[in-house]
Amino acid sequence: MLKTGHLKISTQQKVFGLLFAAPWILGFIIFTLFPITEAIRFSFMDYNILEEPNWIGIDNYRHMFTKDPLFYKSLYNTAYYVIFQVPLSIFVGLGIALMLNKDIKGIAAYRTLFYMPSIVPIVAGTILWKWMFHQQYGILTNFVEFFGIAAPGWLSDPGFAKNSIIIMSLWGAGGGMIIYLAGLKNIPRMYYESAELDGASSIKKFLYITLPLLTPTIFFQLIMGIIGSFQIFTQAYVMTGGGPNDSTLFYYLHLFYSAFKHWKMGYACALAWVLFIIIMFFTVINFTLSKKWVHYS
């Protein structure tokens, strides 16, 4: 009887658990799993929304790799952005966190000040930076010219436009700063006290205590940074539209134009799956290499 009663209670708990989880499960099936499976199907079709999709096999992928020069151009632009933006954002975010990991008066206000840009809506922040990059009246232009240096064509020079978007991306480094700060606070104080008793310098304490114990946080930021950087879109769409001369046509922007400007939904789905495979490849590589440099204890 007791066993039967226990089983009844256990079954009730399972039912209640499933009922509470049902909204998430339904949302995942409808808004995530179903679109993913449909994207796989449409990537093998010629589909423009207005007409019935036609099965064309691997033609979308063949066109992508053999006949679409913008595929390689956008891939290069995105790779350039990832290679420079991810290390810079880690360096700047960690640097700010180290500066703000002090017990000084008003430190909460300083942390809030650095964190605030990361909560500004991305479109609003992008428009603000577009004004700052203005070739005649922009703050950055006037700042550079104050030192007698000719300002570059921030957003008009094909050779510099990507760098401008990278500079702008550092505006949100305060978001990463909070995560680094949490990691720094988790490092036991006794390690530093022992090192100080042995006469260790600040640089040695950073290299042999802070940095090794912060590697899980850096690894997390690296993975998230790579995934986010491969999906760079809004800044380029609002500031340059992909120009000049396609120099800021990033992969996600090319995908967006293929889907909603040229109405090639099937081709856009194929682009999305190639991007997924690229991101997955780098994520797996990073997880494999992390065994050599990330310390979890």
Side-chain angles (χ1 to χ4, degrees):
M1 290 294 289
L2 285 174
K3 188 176 180 181
T4 304
H6 174 74
L7 287 174
K8 284 182 179 177
I9 292 171
S10 179
T11 302
Q12 286 178 342
Q13 288 176 335
K14 288 178 182 178
V15 170
F16 277 118
L18 287 173
L19 285 174
F20 280 115
W24 182 89
I25 294 172
L26 286 174
F28 174 75
I29 293 172
I30 295 171
F31 297 112
T32 303
L33 189 61
F34 177 70
I36 287 175
T37 54
E38 284 297 281
I40 297 173
R41 192 168 67 92
F42 284 129
S43 72
F44 296 101
M45 292 183 172
D46 179 19
Y47 181 44
N48 62 5
I49 296 181
L50 299 177
E51 299 174 354
E52 287 292 321
N54 297 316
W55 180 268
I56 56 172
I58 62 170
D59 280 2
N60 281 328
Y61 294 96
R62 185 183 294 120
H63 176 80
M64 186 190 311
F65 291 113
T66 60
K67 297 180 181 178
D68 184 8
L70 292 180
F71 167 71
Y72 292 104
K73 181 76 174 178
S74 62
L75 201 58
Y76 166 76
N77 291 337
T78 307
Y80 182 97
Y81 181 82
V82 172
I83 289 170
F84 289 99
Q85 194 274 340
V86 173
L88 274 174
S89 65
I90 290 175
F91 179 78
V92 173
L94 180 57
I96 297 172
L98 289 171
M99 286 191 297
L100 298 180
N101 189 31
K102 308 287 183 185
D103 292 325
I104 60 174
K105 189 176 181 181
I107 190 65
Y110 293 125
R111 289 171 184 168
T112 305
L113 191 66
F114 278 96
Y115 182 68
M116 281 182 68
S118 64
I119 60 174
V120 173
I122 186 66
V123 174
T126 303
I127 292 173
L128 175 66
W129 274 86
K130 191 174 181 180
W131 290 342
M132 292 172 67
F133 283 133
H134 192 279
Q135 209 58 45
Q136 188 173 0
Y137 305 110
I139 293 175
L140 289 177
T141 302
N142 292 325
F143 177 76
V144 171
E145 290 179 348
F146 177 78
F147 296 98
I149 303 171
W154 301 104
L155 301 175
S156 59
D157 182 355
F160 200 86
K162 280 192 289 291
N163 298 327
S164 299
I165 294 179
I166 291 171
I167 292 170
M168 183 213 155
S169 71
L170 301 178
W171 157 265
M177 175 268 296
I178 290 293
I179 296 174
Y180 289 121
L181 207 51
L184 289 169
K185 293 294 182 187
N186 279 332
I187 298 175
R189 180 65 193 164
M190 61 181 180
Y191 294 154
Y192 295 106
E193 292 171 349
S194 299
E196 287 167 4
L197 288 175
D198 290 336
S201 64
S202 298
I203 294 176
K204 285 187 176 178
K205 283 190 286 185
F206 174 75
L207 291 177
Y208 297 111
I209 299 175
T210 305
L211 205 53
L213 294 179
L214 207 59
T215 48
T217 308
I218 296 173
F219 177 61
F220 171 77
Q221 288 291 86
L222 177 67
I223 292 292
M224 298 307 293
I226 290 175
I227 293 173
S229 296
F230 267 111
Q231 300 177 62
I232 171 76
F233 171 75
T234 307
Q235 297 91 327
Y237 181 70
V238 173
M239 286 204 294
T240 63
N245 196 24
D246 296 326
S247 61
T248 59
L249 183 72
F250 296 108
Y251 195 95
Y252 231 60
L253 195 55
H254 180 43
L255 189 158
F256 175 82
Y257 284 153
S258 298
F260 299 104
K261 186 176 180 182
H262 306 299
W263 301 108
K264 296 178 179 177
M265 289 294 173
Y267 185 61
C269 288
L271 283 169
W273 272 103
V274 169
L275 179 62
F276 171 79
I277 292 169
I278 292 171
I279 292 175
M280 182 61 72
F281 172 76
F282 283 106
T283 303
V284 170
I285 291 291
N286 273 309
F287 267 97
T288 304
L289 294 177
S290 70
K291 297 173 184 175
K292 296 183 178 179
W293 65 275
V294 178
H295 308 282
Y296 290 102
S297 61

